[in-house]
Amino acid sequence: MAANYPKIGIRPTIDGRRRGVRESLEAQTMGMAQRVAKFLEETLFYPDGSPVQCIIADSTIGGVKEAAAAAQKFKGENVGVSITVTPCWCYGSETMDMDATIPHAVWGFNGTERPGAVYLAAVLSAYAQKGIPAFGIYGEDVQDSGSEEIPADVQSKLLQFAKSAMAVAVMKGKSYLSMGSVSMGIAGSIVNEQFFQDYLGMRNEYIDMSEYVRRFEEDIYDQEEFVKALSWVKENCRIGADNNPQHLQISDKEKELQWETCVKMTLIARDLMVGNPKLAELGFEEEANGHNALVGGFQGQRQWTDHFPNGDFMETILNSSFDWNGRRAPYIVATENDSLNGVTMLFNYLLTNTAQIFADVRTYWSPAAVERVTGYKLEGEAASGLLHLINSGSAALDGTGEQKMDGKPAIKPFWEITDEEVKACMAQTQFRPASQEYFRGGGFSTDYLTKGGMPVTMARLNLVKGLGPVLQLVEGFTVDLPDAVHKTLDERTDPTWPTTWFAPKLTGEGAFQSVYDVMNNWGANHGAISYGHIGADLITLASMLRIPVSMHNVEEARIFRPRVWSLFGTADLESADYRACQTFGPLY
């Protein structure tokens, strides 16, 4: 998929009065825009690792003609995010950006010489009155008029807004590729086109899983890359023990053939999503285009997996930050075609540029239950209990926690990962012959244990009839258990699958009174797990898309939503969020 990333448009607005006022502010106003652009370009990155690009209006904006000129320039430059900056009073509705389909923020300089804060309040009022939610950025401390500093609190809000707004812009016009249909009656794999179109600005693409068979039989994949990939697999993928009963175990020869199929599946899924110019050279020009998919899902069970190898290896490798071609951006692929968890993985990914773990929210282990079964008393982050996150499928290899940041386990953007860390991730992973009772067609399941000590956020998007999409999220930490304790608990489920032990942060209120309450309030069987405590960014992103957040444990001071949300109430923020989202409706 060709990278034509959207840009951030910076709009320096100014007092339009000539003969002294405007002239005295030109340098200060344009300088403010230039500093914001420089800050964002040095701090934010696109998914391919290149710096985010900012476009500044050709002149300061003192009235509607200059506002229109800026809008025209931005349209030609593929601007998908709008940030207005000013140190002074400006004419609110005459200078504002009126594009209702992109996210907006306004930074009003906190200074006493000119009333930037007055303009901020006035233009945010205009945005509210016109039904275009905008984010207000106002520094806590007064600055001198000549200050060229962007205060830390302003930087924080600029980044929180820009990261989320860029996620909105990157999704627009892309596709969700449904590879297959509904898996085992899982509601999330009933792809809801109206949601994708109205809330995300995305289109939906579909292929039947028989397309894989056609590409197998007609050799519609890069033969040279297949040889390279298979060689890499044989050299780097450690084969684990076969847990199947003797009568269900298959021969080494059959396993070799299944590996070939798994590698071909991986190449084909990627080509279906983003295309491959090599296919055009082979005479398959239509197939070379792909489906412009930013995210996809593979049905697998059961129509595919009752006969062919499962999708575990394919999903694991695609979701990871490296393969036989080296380090590269992950391809976001949802197990069981759970489109709602796929979208949640996409949200997390676009906010962090890091690979995601897809898992079942499978078991709540209370301290009493762990002690009864193992004799071990949970402690530290896990003292109040654990969630066992485990599922056959797309747990990215980055999820081993073998990458390091400041000496601690982490998941990093692909361009920061070292060759040694890639090797460490592979060394801590086994590929186990799949359970034949689940997967009659065989395949290889990914098996690793996530290192403890990582801050992570688990999130999930749900659809509710009559309400629409709702997001829930929980911040917490991965946890290490003694080997014998992990083994005992893990072997009570399927030990051939990857495990993440997760301890949510508790607040003592609502769904976060206990770990049991977190599990009991989770809206579906799946969750998307991202490195870092990114709950505040997810809340900001959800507000841009008009998706209410039903459950979170993010401190109030970190929450940043459009200023108009406060006009729906300041005492009960959850209620205000629901009513604001309902009032403004889906972004598109």
Side-chain angles (χ1 to χ4, degrees):
M1 183 166 52
N4 180 26
Y5 292 118
K7 302 177 180 69
I8 298 175
I10 311 293
R11 308 174 68 256
T13 56
I14 197 166
D15 192 325
R17 288 172 285 200
R18 296 283 185 175
R19 301 183 184 179
V21 176
R22 178 166 180 164
E23 291 83 354
S24 70
L25 294 163
E26 287 283 1
Q28 183 185 6
T29 304
M30 187 57 78
M32 194 174 171
Q34 291 166 344
R35 287 189 292 277
V36 168
K38 183 175 185 291
F39 168 66
L40 294 176
E41 289 179 339
E42 291 177 345
T43 311
L44 296 179
F45 298 89
Y46 291 120
D48 67 358
S50 61
V52 162
Q53 296 182 43
C54 294
I55 301 295
I56 302 175
D58 289 335
S59 71
T60 55
I61 300 168
V64 67
K65 183 178 180 180
E66 289 156 331
Q72 189 64 34
K73 177 179 182 177
F74 288 176
K75 185 176 181 181
E77 293 280 2
N78 191 29
V79 165
V81 177
S82 173
I83 299 178
T84 297
V85 300
T86 189
C88 61
W89 166 254
C90 318
Y91 304 156
S93 61
E94 295 182 26
T95 59
M96 65 191 290
D97 188 338
M98 292 286 288
D99 187 345
T101 64
I102 67 174
H104 298 273
V106 183
W107 174 25
F109 185 82
N110 185 358
T112 54
E113 290 81 3
R114 298 285 186 178
V118 178
Y119 169 71
L120 177 64
V123 78
L124 290 175
S125 174
Y127 273 119
Q129 192 164 323
K130 293 176 183 293
I132 307 175
F135 290 75
I137 300 174
Y138 181 56
E140 183 173 348
D141 296 320
V142 172
Q143 294 180 258
D144 297 332
S145 61
S147 173
E148 296 186 354
E149 177 191 9
I150 303 177
D153 61 329
V154 172
Q155 288 186 20
S156 177
K157 288 184 177 178
L158 282 170
L159 285 178
Q160 193 165 335
F161 167 80
K163 278 193 292 186
S164 300
M166 284 304 299
V168 172
V170 169
M171 286 187 285
K172 187 177 182 180
K174 301 300 191 300
S175 304
Y176 177 90
L177 176 60
S178 177
M179 294 178 276
S181 184
V182 180
S183 174
M184 302 184 297
I186 293 172
S189 60
I190 303 172
V191 179
N192 187 304
E193 284 202 352
Q194 214 62 50
F195 161 69
F196 279 92
Q197 294 169 22
D198 291 353
Y199 284 88
L200 308 182
M202 296 177 68
R203 67 169 68 222
N204 297 86
E205 294 281 296
Y206 304 87
I207 61 108
D208 189 274
M209 287 184 294
S210 62
E211 176 65 6
Y212 280 81
V213 180
R214 184 179 79 89
R215 295 193 182 208
F216 290 161
E217 295 181 352
E218 297 184 25
D219 294 330
I220 308 176
Y221 54 88
D222 184 340
Q223 309 279 331
E224 293 179 3
E225 186 178 5
F226 168 68
V227 172
K228 177 182 180 181
L230 189 61
S231 174
W232 182 87
V233 165
K234 289 179 178 179
E235 185 177 339
N236 293 279
C237 294
R238 212 159 46 98
I239 310 303
D242 192 337
N243 265 41
N244 289 293
Q246 192 66 40
H247 71 282
L248 290 179
Q249 292 186 13
I250 62 175
S251 69
D252 290 343
K253 180 64 176 174
E254 288 175 297
K255 288 176 183 175
E256 281 189 28
L257 292 173
Q258 287 189 3
W259 268 118
E260 292 181 10
T261 301
C262 289
V263 172
K264 290 176 185 177
M265 287 169 63
T266 307
L267 296 175
I268 290 168
R270 181 202 62 196
D271 293 350
L272 283 164
M273 288 180 67
V274 303
N276 184 350
K278 183 71 174 179
L279 300 184
E281 298 175 19
L282 299 173
F284 301 104
E285 293 186 18
E286 181 183 359
E287 291 85 349
N289 290 325
H291 291 266
N292 198 39
L294 193 59
V295 57
F298 182 72
Q299 175 192 338
Q301 299 185 74
R302 287 183 43 213
Q303 285 79 357
W304 181 267
T305 57
D306 278 3
H307 184 64
F308 291 101
N310 65 18
D312 288 19
F313 174 80
M314 171 187 73
E315 294 162 1
T316 290
I317 292 298
L318 290 175
N319 278 288
S320 298
S321 299
F322 51 84
D323 60 18
W324 41 86
N325 293 317
R327 289 162 286 166
R328 45 92 180 134
Y331 302 94
I332 306 300
V333 182
T335 299
E336 296 158 345
N337 198 27
D338 184 348
S339 62
L340 296 179
N341 213 53
V343 167
T344 314
M345 292 170 72
L346 180 61
F347 287 176
N348 292 348
Y349 167 62
L350 292 176
L351 290 170
T352 64
N353 288 324
T354 59
Q356 300 296 306
I357 299 172
F358 180 119
D360 269 0
V361 186
R362 200 171 188 89
T363 310
Y364 161 64
W365 278 100
S366 69
V370 171
E371 191 166 8
R372 176 180 62 82
V373 170
T374 69
Y376 176 72
K377 188 176 181 63
L378 292 174
E379 57 187 26
E381 301 286 357
S384 298
L386 288 168
L387 297 182
H388 193 180
L389 308 180
I390 176 173
N391 187 39
S392 166
S394 56
L397 295 171
D398 307 66
T400 56
E402 291 295 329
Q403 298 162 23
K404 295 288 189 294
M405 197 176 294
D406 297 325
K408 298 177 181 178
I411 301 177
K412 302 191 293 191
F414 78 90
W415 60 87
E416 295 181 6
I417 299 171
T418 66
D419 291 340
E420 290 71 26
E421 288 170 334
V422 170
K423 291 176 183 176
C425 291
M426 295 301 298
Q428 292 303 311
T429 304
Q430 297 183 54
F431 292 90
R432 308 281 293 275
S435 170
Q436 295 282 337
E437 293 177 347
Y438 279 120
F439 306 112
R440 297 172 186 172
F444 298 90
S445 294
T446 308
D447 181 22
Y448 65 70
L449 174 62
T450 300
K451 275 189 176 295
M454 290 197 294
V456 294
T457 303
M458 182 170 73
R460 168 71 191 191
L461 192 70
N462 300 284
L463 287 180
V464 181
K465 185 176 181 180
L467 174 62
V470 178
L471 183 69
Q472 53 186 178
L473 62 95
V474 49
E475 296 181 339
F477 296 89
T478 62
V479 171
D480 287 323
L481 294 177
D483 291 345
V485 176
H486 161 71
K487 188 169 187 283
T488 299
L489 301 182
D490 195 42
E491 289 185 350
R492 291 173 69 101
T493 177
D494 193 317
T496 68
W497 297 344
T499 279
T500 302
W501 293 109
F502 176 55
K505 291 193 308 182
L506 301 178
T507 66
E509 298 179 355
F512 297 94
Q513 294 184 61
S514 68
V515 179
Y516 171 82
D517 287 315
V518 173
M519 177 79 173
N520 202 36
N521 282 280
W522 204 247
N525 53 311
H526 293 149
I529 299 92
S530 181
Y531 177 77
H533 286 163
I534 64 167
D537 292 334
L538 282 167
I539 291 171
T540 296
L541 173 58
S543 69
M544 292 176 180
L545 300 170
R546 322 289 159 72
I547 297 173
V549 179
S550 64
M551 168 182 166
H552 72 81
N553 56 349
V554 177
E555 300 87 350
E556 187 174 326
R558 294 169 56 205
I559 296 173
F560 187 36
R561 290 182 169 119
R563 180 68 61 83
V564 69
W565 257 239
S566 66
L567 301 182
F568 288 84
T570 57
D572 186 343
L573 299 186
E574 188 172 287
S575 173
D577 183 32
Y578 270 81
R579 288 181 286 111
C581 290
Q582 182 181 40
T583 297
F584 291 110
L587 180 57
Y588 302 104

